[in-house]
Amino acid sequence: AATLLNAGPIAASLLAEPSQDAEVSDFSYGVLLARIPLFMFQAVQAALLPRLSRLAARGELADFRVGLRRLLLIVVAIGVIGSLGILGPWVLEVVFDASLSGRTLALLAFSSAAYMMALAIAQAVIALKGHALVAVGWGVGVLTFLLAVWLGGEELFRRIEIGLVVSSLAAVASFALALHFRLRSGVVPDQGSIMEAITDMPFEG
């Protein structure tokens, strides 16, 4: 999860030409700006995850699904607001004295929103004891990023932007399938798996 979160700036640093140092710095600032909703998401998680965990622990999976759906709707709302990219270029210039196009900031924000959704579903899978499935899902995301950057054309930052978007969406799809499988299997969470889900916050580091 942490690898996928930091893949954009790392790839930009590794693949850029020496003459692109300033552009890499601007891109890194854009990634940082796009991550701001992640901290909003962390506050939402702190409020909602304990209730979801209690529902799962009591075996009230119907209410668990409703609560998880609400959490995902909040993620979507945060992502839509960020992906509009209306104020992004202005904020980036004022705060970081950097310049990026609205398209770049919108794609970075969209990838962050997809990452948040992947993280939320992954935590639900962990609560349902799907640790191996979560590891596979993040692995799928990282491999998708590498493949997308490799096949994404010649323009450096566009390749990375596309890679961030499709890799996060690939992780979302993997975790959604895993969650569907775990819910249908009738797995009952225990206190340990619930605590692991609550404390699984890879973007804190």
Side-chain angles (χ1 to χ4, degrees):
T3 299
L4 189 59
L5 181 64
N6 294 293
I10 292 174
S13 297
L14 291 175
L15 298 175
E17 300 292 337
S19 60
Q20 294 179 299
D21 285 347
E23 296 174 55
V24 170
S25 296
D26 287 357
F27 185 80
S28 297
Y29 290 136
V31 171
L32 182 61
L33 181 65
R35 287 180 183 172
I36 290 176
L38 285 171
F39 298 100
M40 299 169 58
F41 175 60
Q42 186 176 6
V44 171
Q45 282 183 312
L48 293 184
L49 277 179
R51 180 175 181 274
L52 289 179
S53 299
R54 288 193 297 270
L55 291 172
R58 293 198 298 261
E60 299 176 15
L61 294 184
D63 290 335
F64 176 84
R65 289 187 182 96
V66 172
L68 180 61
R69 192 175 298 117
R70 289 174 180 169
L71 176 60
L72 295 180
L73 287 174
I74 292 173
V75 172
V76 170
I78 294 173
V80 168
I81 294 171
S83 298
L84 292 177
I86 296 173
L87 296 178
W90 177 79
V91 173
L92 193 68
E93 183 176 358
V94 170
V95 176
F96 298 109
D97 192 25
S99 176
L100 285 175
S101 68
R103 182 214 73 193
T104 292
L105 289 173
L107 287 174
L108 291 176
F110 182 79
S111 69
S112 290
Y115 181 89
M116 285 188 289
M117 182 170 291
L119 184 61
I121 302 174
Q123 288 174 316
V125 176
I126 289 173
L128 296 172
K129 305 178 184 178
H131 302 71
L133 296 173
V134 169
V136 170
W138 289 125
V140 167
V142 172
L143 290 175
T144 302
F145 175 80
L146 295 174
L147 185 62
V149 171
W150 180 39
L151 299 175
E154 298 297 326
E155 187 178 338
L156 174 63
F157 297 112
R158 183 179 293 241
R159 293 162 58 193
I160 295 173
E161 293 157 18
I162 293 173
L164 290 173
V165 170
V166 298
S167 60
S168 296
L169 291 176
V172 168
S174 297
F175 296 139
L177 288 173
L179 180 61
H180 177 73
F181 172 76
R182 298 307 285 176
L183 288 172
R184 286 181 62 86
S185 68
V187 175
V188 178
D190 56 32
Q191 184 176 3
S193 67
I194 292 170
M195 288 304 299
E196 287 181 31
I198 292 175
T199 56
D200 181 44
M201 301 283 188
F203 52 84
E204 284 186 337

